[in-house]
Amino acid sequence: MAEAEAKRVASDERAAFDWLGALRDAGFLGLLTLGLSFPIIAFRTRQDLWQGLVLDPRWELVTVLVAIAFTARFCWLVFGNRLAGGVQSLAERVGSTLSPLKSYTATFRLVGLAWLIAYPFLAVLFAGPGGALKWIDNFGIQILIYVMLGWGLNIVVGLAGLLDLGYVAFYAVGAYSTALLSTYFGFSFWLCLPLAGIFAALWGILLGFPVLRLRGDYLAIVTLAFGEIIRLVLINWVELTNGAAGISGIPRPTFFGLPFNASDEGFAAFFGLQFTPLHRLFFLFYLILLLALLTNWVTIRLRRLPIGRAWEALREDEIACRSLGIDTVTTKLTAFSIGAMFGGIAGAFFAARLGFISPKSFEFMESAVILSIVVLGGMGSQIGVAIAAVVMIGGTEMLRELVWLKAIFGAGFDPTQYRMLLFGMAMVAMMVWRPRGLISKREPSIVLHEKRAIGGELVKEGQG
Amino acid sequence: MAAPAIDPNAGLDAEPILRVEHLTMRFGGLVAVNDLSFDVARGQITALIGPNGAGKTTVFNCITGFYKPSSGRIVLMSDGALPGPAIDALTDTSMRSRRVGDGGIYLLERMPDSEIAAQARVARTFQNIRLFTGMTVLENLIVAQHNWLNRASGYSLLGLVGAKSFRDAEARAVEIAVAWLDRIGLKGRADDPAGALPYGDQRRLEIVRAMCTGPVLLCLDEPAAGLNPRESAELNELLLSIRDSNGTSLLLIEHDMSVVMEISDHIIVLEYGKKISDGTPEYIKNDPKVIAAYLGVEDEEVDDAAAELDQ
Ligand SMILES: Nc1ncnc2c1ncn2[C@@H]1O[C@H](COP(=O)(O)OP(=O)(O)OP(=O)(O)O)[C@@H](O)[C@H]1O
Ligand SMILES: [Mg+2]
């Protein structure tokens, strides 16, 4: 009886949709938009010929925005439930189609690896030697650098659960140690690469000691500050780092001593090939691929060692760790410094790839991008982080390809300026539909009978 | 006044493994533990009981280093070390521990929590279970063996290259873990996340995880809380077998009198941070002060309550 009653009430409610309420709600949002846009959008400021400030009203734009807000809200109230349900089930379907892939991980990994190795050749094949430059450099190498950085930070944030907002500092340490060692002392790239990793790891330990006593928000703020301090030192220590102008003329990496140039001692001449700038790019691509895979291999290995389990246990419950006799300070420091080491190696590669570095490349925004790759990927998941890097970095590079949109929005339209907007929207979408990242399942590090992934809802994210 | 004619220490002649002396813990103006002294006997089960807020968990936190006591001394004597002048001599130095004969003495109030667990080998569980919920049951027990495994992995260097010595050590650690899982009947769930276990199993898993650290003293904070009668009977069995076959001394906080009276060799009663009674279960059961504390009667009425009990 009571059940039937409840059903009847529910169906009544569905029938009697509150149109007036929806209108009122949407109207309120419209007014709110008007209020908000008045100070920031309604006037464009410019200087006239006499250096005076001129306000150009842009009421049409405001009207359009208000109309958009009103309609969007109204449609959301009317159709939103169904839409949200649809997206939810879509997200679940994507998730469930992805999850059986796990059982083919071995094949999946092989196919992925084969594809990565073939990528530069495919690029040349499909885009021609000229077009391939962009695909290998801007997409391939650029994305792989972020994959490596994401994997490095994943050790700190994803495994050990330490929120590090200053990761780019270690990237900078690696890049600057390579730049300085090679320009001042003439060290070769191959020597600089491990040294950069070691320096960054040492900096990790140095910064880690005072910082890792803090937890959660405090840790995040202090790491952020350290990241900024390093950048400010780089800008202001002009005698050493040449300040904001940066360091140029960093020797390019060589192929076991063979430079990539058109000279007779060059790589092309040695192998009797026609010189093309593609050789260097191929080399850089495979180098960063190798470095990224090394990061991945070490991480996967470490996860199955006592230290890796201690990191994850630390993320789960620090107090329980202490009650089991685990030295939490050392454990955190190892995570921090190994993460820093990979950041440093990536930095060395970055410096040698461009031959020029400046503090501009190591701003907080970089840390934020790397962190969002880790968070979007699903903290702790290697493949998730890689996918997130492809989506985020590839996506922003893709924006450059959207110049045809100028035909629609006018010549002043620059799609790359919407990068941060898209970033933000991706973040919000994730928080709503996949709050634990693309791949939230955790693989156990040791198995007795049968391997089963652990649902994300049980896995803790750590509080610093 | 009818004094109970029971010897408070009947059958309690074991030497102590832990000696707490004049322990005081203040939180601002609140004195949570007030000049508390007691012994935990080697190879026995000692229970710490008392009404809510009596300061039991605070005592545990002081013993295991999670709180630094305001004053007092907490000495752990492992592997046959005995109370004696060596302890006073150690107290006069600024050191934390010293080897005595085959054993060692540890001044726990000077040591941080993880060192107490790693060196003095005091393990504990928590009033609110603290398992690694996102890790499997087996992983929980392997993490508990972290210190020796990490050494066996050459601080990760041997492990990274997959050295055989490390693989053997890990296999040994799994063996130890599985043996413990067998004892609590959870071997079949070794690959399930710890957070997915029923409450009673989580409690026992936490105890077993503490045992995987190889402790000489195991401190359990309300291990029977929230268990049904069958589960708490199983718990009794587990605790007795830990005492008898592993020779680990136990100190437990418990409200469930069926557990306390059945398995403890020795009981200490706390009220408002002070010790009000100390003796065998038989003695405690008949101590009018304990009865008064638990029934919540006024001091003057204690005698009446005792008189009533005598009848
Ligand atoms: N960290 C702390 N800061 C301030 N006061 C505390 C702290 N820890 C415990 N206390 C206080 O000390 C007193 C004793 O608390 P404790 O948790 O030791 O009691 P308990 O005997 O374990 O009680 P229960 O049986 O409820 O677990 C309480 O009044 C509590 O509020
Ligand atoms: Mg308590």
Side-chain angles (χ1 to χ4, degrees), chain B residues 93-104:
Chain B
T93 69
S94 61
M95 289 187 307
R96 295 165 172 179
S97 63
R98 170 191 288 178
R99 298 216 63 78
V100 179
D102 292 338

Side-chain angles (χ1 to χ4, degrees), chain B residues 43 45 183 237-248 250:
Chain B
I45 297 181
R183 272 169 83 165
E237 232 170 83
L238 174 67
L239 298 187
L240 287 173
S241 90
I242 286 176
R243 179 193 67 182
D244 296 335
S245 48
N246 295 79
T248 306
L250 281 90

Side-chain angles (χ1 to χ4, degrees), chain A residues 251-384:
Chain A
R252 301 304 188 85
T254 55
F255 185 80
F256 302 104
L258 297 174
F260 290 96
N261 56 22
S263 72
D264 287 345
E265 293 88 48
F267 173 84
F270 186 84
F271 286 97
L273 301 166
Q274 172 100 49
F275 172 78
T276 124
L278 275 176
H279 290 157
R280 187 212 303 285
L281 285 185
F282 268 57
F283 172 71
L284 287 174
F285 179 87
Y286 288 120
L287 179 61
I288 186 67
L289 179 62
L290 213 68
L291 291 174
L293 288 179
L294 177 78
T295 313
N296 185 36
W297 181 82
V298 170
T299 310
I300 289 178
R301 261 331 248 260
L302 285 175
R303 243 197 103 220
R304 299 197 188 124
L305 291 181
I307 190 68
R309 288 195 200 105
W311 290 340
E312 291 201 82
L314 200 67
R315 176 194 66 201
E316 293 278 322
D317 192 329
E318 179 171 348
I319 292 187
C321 279
R322 299 215 301 254
S323 82
L324 297 174
I326 294 174
D327 183 343
T328 51
V329 175
T330 336
T331 308
K332 286 180 181 181
L333 272 181
T334 50
F336 213 61
S337 57
I338 291 177
M341 180 181 78
F342 288 121
I345 294 177
F349 176 85
F350 175 78
R353 170 200 178 203
L354 293 182
F356 165 77
I357 52 170
S358 80
K360 197 115 193 74
S361 308
F362 309 105
E363 287 181 341
F364 167 68
M365 212 46 236
E366 289 300 300
S367 289
V369 168
I370 304 166
L371 186 66
S372 34
I373 286 175
V374 174
V375 172
L376 288 184
M379 304 217 284
S381 160
Q382 295 291 99
I383 190 78

Side-chain angles (χ1 to χ4, degrees), chain A residues 316-317 322 325 442 445 449, chain B residues 113 130 134 139 147 170 191:
Chain A
E316 293 278 322
D317 192 329
R322 299 215 301 254
R442 178 183 171 270
S445 63
H449 309 292
Chain B
D113 42 24
R130 282 182 173 276
E139 281 181 308
N147 282 323
E170 196 175 62
D191 296 322

Side-chain angles (χ1 to χ4, degrees), chain B residues 27 30 32 50-59 67 127 222 255:
Chain B
F27 296 110
L30 175 83
N52 287 110
K56 306 178 296 292
T57 301
T58 307
V59 172
Y67 291 162
Q127 192 163 350
E222 304 201 11
H255 284 297

Side-chain angles (χ1 to χ4, degrees), chain A residues 414-437:
Chain A
D414 179 6
T416 51
Q417 295 207 326
Y418 291 83
R419 182 170 160 225
M420 282 302 133
L421 183 72
L422 291 180
F423 252 45
M425 276 167 30
M427 278 293 195
V428 171
M430 288 301 280
M431 270 180 246
V432 174
W433 288 300
R434 286 196 87 81
R436 284 168 171 276

Side-chain angles (χ1 to χ4, degrees), chain A residues 17 26 41 63 67 70 94 98 159 182 188 201 252 261 276 291 352 366 369 402 404:
Chain A
F17 180 78
I41 294 175
T63 321
F70 178 84
V94 169
L98 278 179
L159 293 184
S182 59
S188 81
R252 301 304 188 85
N261 56 22
T276 124
L291 291 174
E366 289 300 300
V369 168
L402 298 180
W404 53 268

